[in-house]
Amino acid sequence: WSHNGTIQLASGTVEVQDQSIEAGNFTIDMNSIVDLDLEGESKQNLEAHLKGTVEGKEGDFFNVTEYPTATFELTGVSEQDGKTMVSGNLTMKDQTHNVTFPASVSFNENTMSLQSETFAIDRTKWGVNYGSKSVFDNLGDKFINDEIELTIELHASKS
């Protein structure tokens, strides 16, 4: 089984100088988690479990009541093997770790677009441990992969 979905930014700014990204700060709305591969009650149940709005299961995944937002602070953009690499500090559940991912960046007159390649993060680094074989010993085949695959799409307009 695997699931896919979306999550939205609450706000963000990116500073660009001469078609080069200089800085960026983004706030992620953790309550905007949406599952795209289920319908009806299954969809609602999964979204509630991920958000932590199910009584007694608040801490299994993202606990949006206690941690309504996550943040990403850009720490650098570099070229590596002909690819643009974006690095930044991702903070979820009061834990911060640096992530780096390949991305395509393009500029039009008053807009900038960034599209990442798919990359993975280890959710347990941010205390999202539910169903993790690396955290719990006796799960057998009832486990959830530690890696979450992400793809980032960002569009910014000049202000």
Side-chain angles (χ1 to χ4, degrees):
W1 295 90
S2 68
H3 296 289
N4 66 73
T6 61
I7 190 163
Q8 303 294 319
L9 290 181
S11 62
T13 59
V14 61
E15 293 177 33
V16 175
Q17 184 75 34
D18 297 327
Q19 295 198 350
S20 177
I21 299 171
E22 301 287 320
N25 279 290
F26 307 94
T27 300
I28 303 158
D29 177 3
M30 296 305 289
N31 208 40
S32 71
I33 294 171
V34 174
D35 171 81
L36 297 176
D37 55 70
L38 296 173
E39 294 179 1
E41 194 174 330
S42 297
K43 172 184 171 72
Q44 292 171 353
N45 289 345
L46 177 60
E47 290 172 357
H49 194 192
L50 291 171
K51 292 177 186 179
T53 56
V54 178
E55 191 173 338
K57 296 185 176 185
E58 293 85 355
D60 285 357
F61 290 99
F62 297 106
N63 195 349
V64 300
T65 302
E66 190 172 343
Y67 306 102
T69 61
T71 60
F72 182 80
E73 178 186 7
L74 191 79
T75 57
V77 177
S78 62
E79 290 292 321
Q80 186 178 351
D81 299 327
K83 291 187 177 188
T84 300
M85 301 299 290
V86 177
S87 297
N89 291 325
L90 176 61
T91 302
M92 289 189 295
K93 296 177 78 173
D94 284 345
Q95 297 187 47
T96 303
H97 297 280
N98 194 270
V99 297
T100 299
F101 53 87
S104 299
V105 180
S106 60
F107 297 90
N108 282 333
E109 200 170 299
N110 291 315
T111 62
M112 183 216 78
S113 296
L114 181 147
Q115 175 77 44
S116 79
E117 293 180 18
T118 300
F119 65 100
I121 62 170
D122 178 351
R123 65 188 172 93
T124 63
K125 287 183 175 182
W126 289 271
V128 182
N129 296 330
Y130 182 79
S132 169
K133 277 200 303 192
S134 67
V135 176
F136 302 103
D137 293 332
N138 55 355
L139 297 175
D141 62 0
K142 303 266 191 265
F143 68 93
I144 299 170
N145 285 334
D146 289 350
E147 287 195 339
I148 297 174
E149 288 190 341
L150 301 172
T151 306
I152 296 172
E153 184 176 333
L154 174 68
H155 300 280
S157 298
K158 191 174 186 176
S159 60

